[in-house]
Amino acid sequence: MSKILIIEDEEAIADLEKDYLELSGFQVEIEHRGDVGLKKSLEGDYDLFILDLMLPEMDGFEICREIRAQKNTPIIMVSAKKDDIDKIRGLGLGADDYMTKPFSPSELVARVKAHLARYERLIGTGVQENDIIEIRGLKIDKTARRVWVNGEEKNFTTKEFDLLTFLAQNPNRVFTKDELFKEIWDMESIGDIATVTVHIKKIREKIEYNTAKPQYIETIWGVGYRFKV
């Protein structure tokens, strides 16, 4: 049974989310304070976090940053703030998804299931030899989910790694943002394709020598992105 931690200061909302998730077979815990929620996140064994943005003692941005520095566990950020800058900031800090209140509990459950299913598929281990992609100083270990650039290991979030790996496995092919969003996020009708732009930017910051003149991931203006080989 997957274990979920909800960090949300509005008790009615947290209880409603918990009820719907438990009806779908998840084990759910709630924490209302940001600082305590962060402590539980880092010390506990959770499969997914639902993180409110505005919290007492510590906000969701800081919690997201601290979790992502130590774990790749999926994070769904929720907030009543509808500004794109908050969404971009949250995704940039490593959140896997951003939902704007109010939203239907059934949509939340759908997103939780999608993120957990994808994460569980990707962390599955086996006894086979590691599957590695190597391109001009870039080394991607698909099995261990690790990345090196010219011998230096770089830390990637779950979705950053998925997106980089997908593009590297399909070199010299142009993908639109919609195609990438559908492939990586497993959701065609919900979400925001601006997520793709944010993740491409973060990936470039980690693998490109000069982000203004990328040697790996090219922008094809008016179309999308291409991994150049």
Side-chain angles (χ1 to χ4, degrees), residues 4-69:
I4 298 171
L5 176 63
I6 298 173
I7 307 177
E8 166 68 68
D9 64 328
E10 295 186 52
E11 293 187 19
I13 292 177
D15 289 341
L16 181 62
E17 293 172 349
K18 182 175 186 289
D19 288 344
Y20 270 78
L21 289 165
E22 287 183 337
L23 286 172
S24 297
F26 297 109
Q27 181 180 348
V28 183
E29 294 181 11
I30 296 173
E31 182 50 58
H32 300 298
R33 280 181 39 171
D35 55 344
V36 181
L38 174 61
K39 187 174 185 294
K40 292 185 69 171
S41 300
L42 298 180
E43 295 178 354
D45 184 19
Y46 297 98
D47 298 291
L48 183 140
F49 301 108
I50 298 174
L51 176 61
D52 187 32
L53 186 56
M54 304 303 292
L55 293 162
E57 307 304 329
M58 179 180 289
D59 68 30
F61 290 129
E62 183 62 24
I63 295 171
C64 181
R65 182 187 294 109
E66 294 293 333
I67 292 175
R68 191 53 76 225

Side-chain angles (χ1 to χ4, degrees), residues 135-175:
I135 304 170
R136 300 192 312 278
L138 174 65
K139 179 180 177 180
I140 305 170
D141 187 331
K142 293 171 56 183
T143 308
R145 296 183 65 78
R146 301 171 68 185
V147 178
W148 292 264
V149 179
N150 294 323
E152 180 183 354
E153 186 169 3
K154 304 288 185 175
N155 292 321
F156 280 73
T157 68
T158 300
K159 288 296 185 286
E160 288 170 0
F161 184 90
D162 296 344
L163 182 54
L164 173 62
T165 301
F166 177 75
L167 289 169
Q169 288 181 139
N170 296 276
N172 300 322
R173 176 180 168 185
V174 180
F175 291 94

Side-chain angles (χ1 to χ4, degrees), residues 170-198:
N170 296 276
N172 300 322
R173 176 180 168 185
V174 180
F175 291 94
T176 66
K177 293 178 184 178
D178 290 295
E179 289 173 330
L180 292 173
F181 186 83
K182 181 179 178 181
E183 177 66 31
I184 303 304
W185 278 263
D186 257 357
M187 296 172 283
E188 186 173 10
S189 60
I190 54 179
D192 187 343
I193 61 171
T195 301
V196 176
T197 304
V198 173

Side-chain angles (χ1 to χ4, degrees), residues 37 75 112 145:
I75 299 172
V112 166
R145 296 183 65 78

